[in-house]
Amino acid sequence: MNLDAALKTYIAESREMLQEMEDILLRIEGMADQTESLNSIFRAAHTIKGSAGLFGLDGIVAFTHHVETLLDQCRTGETSITENLVALLLQCSDHIGRLIDDLETGAEALSPELQQQGSDLISQLQQTYASKPTDTPTPAPADKPSSNPASQDRPTHSELWHISLRFGLDSLRDGMDPLSFLHYLGTLGEINRIQLINHNMPDFDKMDPESCYLGFELSYQSDASQNVIEEVFEFIRQDSHVCVLPPHADLDDFARLIRELPENDDDLINLLVQCESLTRAEADTLIAPPAVTDESVATPSQEIPSAIDKPEPVPQAQNTAKPTAVRGSSENQSIRVDADKLDHLINLVGELVIAGAGASLNAVNNGDTELLESMSTLTRLVEEVRDSALQLRMVQIGGTFNRFHRVVRDVSKELNKDIKLVITGADTELDKTVVEKIGDPLMHLVRNSIDHGIEPPETRIAAGKPATGTVQLNAYHDSGSIVIEISDDGGGLDRERILAKAIRSGLVSADQPPDNSELFKLIFEPGFSTAETVSNLSGRGVGMDVVKRNISALRGSVEVNSEAGKGTVFQIRLPLTLAIIDGFMVGVGQSSFVVPLDIVIECIELTNNIGTTDSDRDYLDLRGEVLPYVRLRDMFAINGKPPERESVVVVNYAGVKAGLVVDRLMGEFQTVIKPLGKIFSHLKGISGSSILGNGDVALIIDVPGLIQQITALENTAYALPKQTMH
């Protein structure tokens, strides 16, 4: 068993469960029936604690035990769910997350700050449940009453728990270490005596080193309740035999245990005596049938003889195994794959696409009909493999959106504002790499909406608005891109204040103020802030420029629209994937360029009848619609004379159409995106590169950047007709 791999799985699953806890805690206050939600939170905390015990992570076990105690009181109704209690549990969830982070980094000891934080939280937890009953030793009959009316007639003398374990054959393969369970029991009490059961161990030459043949009979001293002890083994109960008998358990319970176990009766009874769970006199009672009395004659008991005779236990085991197998098959519908392996697969698929393009080119050059047909089939299969591999990387953005429930809750309370978060489009999918990198920009924009956008309750009421402000996160697909909108119903951007700041900073001229669209873009300039005071959230002019830079690094764009008194909308456009796209290849001179196919609308021939040059503005008449266009030959200073027949590729991005004038159209092309080096980061109009089948390099057109440049040129040209484009 690879413990390192198991520990990585524990870390990943613990973070998922902590996120689940946080999501439920943020919703639980408004729920009419909190029972199932409390059970879910408790199960998550208990699973984190139980798994930590298997790895010997005593710090996580100790802290989570206090959280579990409080949650158990909430489940029983002894403690009510309040706003302060939710805040405390959220802090505890954060602390467990930090302990998990320390575990991942391999820290040998907790930092003093983390230790102090844990101590403070434990004190708060203890104060919360100090006046409530906690887990105390409970006599077993009260915890788990026997179904046999006579079972209370013959209690044993032992004050110890007795635990009988027979691990399933696949326990080791499932990542379960028997010694870890014994170690975890040591955190709840003390093992008094333990006897190893190895009767099922085969001969050495027949032994499978990955199979588990072990079992234990042990006596145990603990103040924990029976439920707590039994939950230690919840991960193996499905495939293993687990029996927990409490102190002073009835002799009939031990007789039943002997009947269920496969070992010899006399051997088992001797083991129970050696564990001090039974006295010799009690053991002799199990061996010899009880004395015949009038009562026993009137009501003959079958318990003791059945313990010796073991009447047909196998059919019962078979009956219980069937639903277990069905349940397991329905649950194992997904597997966890390391992200690095997935990235490696995508890289290999990219190389396969490039190699396939080279083979197709050779087939065309050779003119072999059969080879061309075979390559056509191969190309289709490669496309299917590519699409399937890319689909593996697609994840829903809802997980990222849900993180902001906590942000809105905490920041709104800090600012004394009443704000709700509305999420739509949570099932929209995009590349996992994009999801991982978009989190920080979204965090800045959401905090900006809370701090700058939403007004205080009294201001909103005076303006005729609801006291509760709304921040909305929305996502949807549009023309091969994903659009993420962060909107609020606050006061909107203050145009006059932004303009005054821009004039003082020399960003705009007072004589020619820009329109709202251009003016609002200035908030993304480094150091630009209109906040009058500096707070923990804003005011230093740091953040919005980072937002734009990070989004640009993802080959995306961000726009802002605002209306005074109505609110503000930030719109982010991102590519669905950063790996492989369907492209449309064009040629200019000896150079090849790729345009993302999703944003290509149509291709037309550029003729004198539709093309017009007015001053320095190029546009054409597209069926009555004015279409601005740019010549890639001029844009990239490509030498040579253009051909007599040029073509226009009409593209649409964010609702804006533009034309790209090229020399020739070369058709669709599977494009493996290769990033440009830092030395080319200053290039305008290029977002990446791709390798062609013949080994040449094709540049990928940055259509959003070109459209922005064309739009800016059009706006400038109308204001200053004599300017030219460079």
Side-chain angles (χ1 to χ4, degrees):
M1 179 177 60
N2 189 339
L3 288 178
D4 289 339
L7 189 60
K8 289 180 180 178
T9 301
Y10 166 72
I11 291 172
E13 292 182 347
S14 295
R15 285 175 173 156
E16 291 176 359
M17 286 182 281
L18 287 173
Q19 185 61 53
E20 178 187 359
M21 287 176 59
E22 180 176 298
D23 293 343
I24 297 175
L25 285 170
L26 292 172
R27 302 192 308 265
I28 196 168
E29 288 182 78
M31 293 181 179
D33 184 4
Q34 301 172 336
T35 304
E36 185 55 38
S37 295
L38 285 171
N39 289 337
S40 298
I41 299 173
F42 180 85
R43 283 194 298 268
H46 178 73
T47 303
I48 291 173
K49 185 189 82 168
S51 300
L54 298 179
F55 291 102
L57 307 175
D58 297 337
I60 297 178
V61 171
F63 181 82
T64 312
H65 178 71
H66 292 282
V67 178
E68 197 178 44
T69 302
L70 178 57
L71 288 171
D72 196 34
Q73 289 188 0
C74 294
R75 290 199 304 167
T76 59
E78 300 172 49
T79 301
S80 301
I81 296 295
T82 64
E83 182 178 330
N84 291 335
L85 183 63
V86 170
L88 175 59
L89 290 174
L90 286 171
Q91 293 179 45
C92 292
S93 175
D94 292 342
H95 182 72
I96 297 173
R98 295 187 186 98
L99 295 178
I100 298 295
D101 292 340
D102 265 22
L103 173 64
E104 184 177 38
T105 57
E108 297 182 359
L110 298 181
S111 65
E113 295 80 8
L114 200 56
Q115 291 180 4
Q116 183 61 47
Q117 183 188 66
S119 299
D120 294 343
L121 289 173
I122 289 175
S123 298
Q124 295 181 55
L125 289 168
Q126 290 174 334
Q127 290 173 8
T128 304
Y129 64 70
S131 59
K132 309 293 180 183
T134 57
D135 283 336
T136 57
T138 306
D143 202 324
K144 202 169 185 177
S146 173
S147 59
N148 186 358
S151 64
Q152 303 299 323
D153 295 340
R154 300 193 298 165
T156 57
H157 291 82
S158 175
E159 297 183 353
L160 301 172
W161 295 84
H162 183 80
I163 302 176
S164 177
L165 298 174
R166 299 296 185 273
F167 288 93
L169 198 63
D170 293 329
S171 295
L172 295 176
R173 295 186 185 92
D174 294 338
M176 299 300 163
D177 182 2
L179 292 180
S180 297
F181 289 91
L182 300 181
H183 177 84
Y184 186 40
L185 284 174
T187 66
L188 300 176
E190 180 180 356
I191 296 177
N192 184 58
R193 293 284 189 275
I194 184 169
Q195 296 295 327
L196 174 66
I197 308 297
N198 58 358
H199 297 72
N200 294 327
M201 184 74 71
D203 295 336
F204 183 79
D205 58 339
K206 298 179 180 179
M207 186 178 67
D208 183 353
E210 294 185 350
S211 296
C212 184
Y213 306 99
L214 301 180
F216 298 101
E217 297 290 332
L218 60 94
S219 56
Y220 183 57
Q221 174 67 46
S222 175
D223 292 337
S225 68
Q226 182 158 349
N227 286 336
V228 170
I229 296 175
E230 288 181 341
E231 285 173 348
V232 172
F233 307 102
E234 65 177 320
F235 298 111
I236 62 170
R237 187 174 295 276
Q238 177 175 317
D239 300 314
S240 304
H241 172 84
V242 180
C243 180
V244 179
L245 297 179
H248 305 295
D250 195 88
L251 278 174
D252 289 344
D253 294 329
F254 281 98
R256 190 176 299 108
L257 172 63
I258 294 173
R259 183 173 66 249
E260 294 173 351
L261 293 174
E263 290 82 14
N264 178 271
D265 295 346
D266 293 336
D267 292 340
L268 286 172
I269 292 174
N270 289 331
L271 289 174
L272 295 176
V273 173
Q274 294 173 22
C275 288
E276 300 182 357
S277 297
L278 293 177
T279 64
R280 175 49 63 183
E282 292 167 342
D284 292 341
T285 303
L286 286 179
I287 296 175
V292 177
T293 64
D294 294 340
E295 181 180 355
S296 65
V297 171
T299 308
S301 173
Q302 299 300 320
E303 295 293 333
I304 299 304
S306 65
I308 304 302
D309 297 339
K310 298 181 182 287
E312 300 182 11
V314 175
Q316 181 179 1
Q318 292 175 343
N319 291 338
T320 58
K322 289 181 179 179
T324 299
V326 173
R327 181 172 62 252
S329 63
S330 64
E331 290 174 351
N332 297 328
Q333 298 298 319
S334 61
I335 60 174
R336 188 182 301 274
V337 180
D338 187 77
D340 292 338
K341 293 181 179 179
L342 195 56
D343 292 339
H344 182 60
L345 171 63
I346 297 299
N347 290 335
L348 291 178
V349 171
E351 296 301 322
L352 178 62
V353 169
I354 295 173
S360 297
L361 182 62
N362 291 333
V364 172
N365 293 336
N366 291 334
D368 189 325
T369 305
E370 293 184 358
L371 181 59
L372 284 172
E373 186 174 341
S374 298
M375 286 308 306
S376 176
T377 303
L378 178 60
T379 300
R380 177 178 55 80
L381 293 175
V382 168
E383 289 180 357
E384 292 181 4
V385 171
R386 177 204 66 181
D387 293 340
S388 298
L390 289 177
Q391 191 62 36
L392 293 176
R393 285 170 54 118
M394 303 298 282
V395 296
Q396 293 185 352
I397 200 171
T400 300
F401 279 0
N402 288 332
R403 291 167 40 193
F404 295 103
H405 282 292
R406 177 74 180 279
V407 176
V408 172
R409 181 185 188 275
D410 292 348
V411 176
S412 61
K413 290 186 181 299
E414 180 181 345
L415 297 175
N416 295 319
K417 296 180 179 180
D418 190 6
I419 302 174
K420 67 177 180 180
L421 177 65
V422 177
I423 292 176
T424 55
D427 57 349
T428 305
E429 292 185 336
L430 71 163
D431 193 286
K432 76 172 187 67
T433 305
V434 180
V435 171
E436 292 169 354
K437 295 181 179 179
I438 197 59
D440 286 343
L442 287 179
M443 178 71 73
H444 281 295
L445 293 176
V446 169
R447 290 167 70 97
N448 182 81
S449 294
I450 298 173
D451 189 20
H452 293 298
I454 303 296
E455 314 95 326
E458 56 273 12
T459 304
R460 293 180 61 86
I461 294 175
K465 295 182 178 181
T468 301
T470 301
V471 174
Q472 182 171 0
L473 293 174
N474 182 34
Y476 58 91
H477 289 147
D478 180 45
S479 300
S481 301
I482 180 173
V483 180
I484 302 174
E485 293 179 341
I486 306 95
S487 60
D488 64 72
D489 63 348
L493 298 179
D494 190 331
R495 171 181 169 82
E496 298 305 320
R497 180 178 292 182
I498 295 175
L499 180 59
K501 174 70 174 180
I503 293 174
R504 288 197 304 270
S505 302
L507 297 175
V508 299
S509 171
D511 298 332
Q512 294 181 332
D515 60 15
N516 286 348
S517 176
E518 295 299 320
L519 181 64
F520 292 156
K521 290 180 181 179
L522 297 178
I523 65 175
F524 296 105
E525 292 295 320
F528 193 95
S529 176
T530 59
E532 298 178 353
T533 59
V534 175
S535 67
N536 293 332
L537 297 176
S538 60
R540 295 180 174 86
V542 178
M544 298 301 284
D545 61 316
V546 177
V547 168
K548 185 175 182 180
R549 185 165 63 247
N550 290 349
I551 293 174
S552 298
L554 294 172
R555 298 191 289 110
S557 62
V558 57
E559 299 287 340
V560 56
N561 297 298
S562 183
E563 186 176 351
K566 297 292 184 63
T568 303
V569 179
F570 292 94
Q571 188 180 81
I572 301 173
R573 285 185 173 267
L574 297 167
L576 289 179
T577 178
L578 302 177
I580 306 173
I581 62 172
D582 285 321
F584 185 77
M585 190 156 59
V586 298
V588 180
Q590 300 300 316
S591 302
S592 299
F593 298 92
V594 176
V595 182
L597 185 62
D598 288 329
I599 61 178
V600 175
I601 299 178
E602 61 179 315
C603 299
I604 60 176
E605 183 180 354
L606 180 64
T607 64
N608 293 331
N609 295 331
I610 64 172
T612 305
T613 300
D614 179 10
S615 182
D616 55 346
R617 298 192 301 274
D618 293 335
Y619 62 90
L620 56 83
D621 180 5
L622 182 63
R623 296 182 293 276
E625 179 182 358
V626 177
L627 181 75
Y629 65 85
V630 60
R631 296 177 180 272
L632 295 188
R633 179 180 294 275
D634 297 336
M635 173 68 68
F636 300 114
I638 298 175
N639 296 326
K641 184 179 179 181
E644 295 183 0
R645 179 178 177 180
E646 294 178 293
S647 299
V648 180
V649 180
V650 182
V651 296
N652 183 347
Y653 181 81
V656 179
K657 289 184 179 180
L660 307 177
V661 179
V662 299
D663 291 356
R664 57 191 179 279
L665 306 175
M666 303 169 68
E668 296 183 18
F669 174 68
Q670 293 186 67
T671 306
V672 180
I673 300 174
K674 301 291 184 180
L676 295 172
K678 291 184 178 180
I679 192 173
F680 301 109
S681 60
H682 67 284
L683 290 179
K684 302 297 183 181
I686 299 296
S687 62
S689 62
S690 183
I691 300 176
L692 304 180
N694 60 3
D696 291 344
V697 175
L699 298 177
I700 302 173
I701 299 295
D702 178 17
V703 174
L706 284 182
I707 287 183
Q708 289 179 4
Q709 192 168 351
I710 293 173
T711 303
L713 178 61
E714 287 294 303
N715 294 336
T716 304
Y718 280 112
L720 301 172
K722 297 302 181 182
Q723 285 194 357
T724 58
M725 176 179 176
H726 297 288

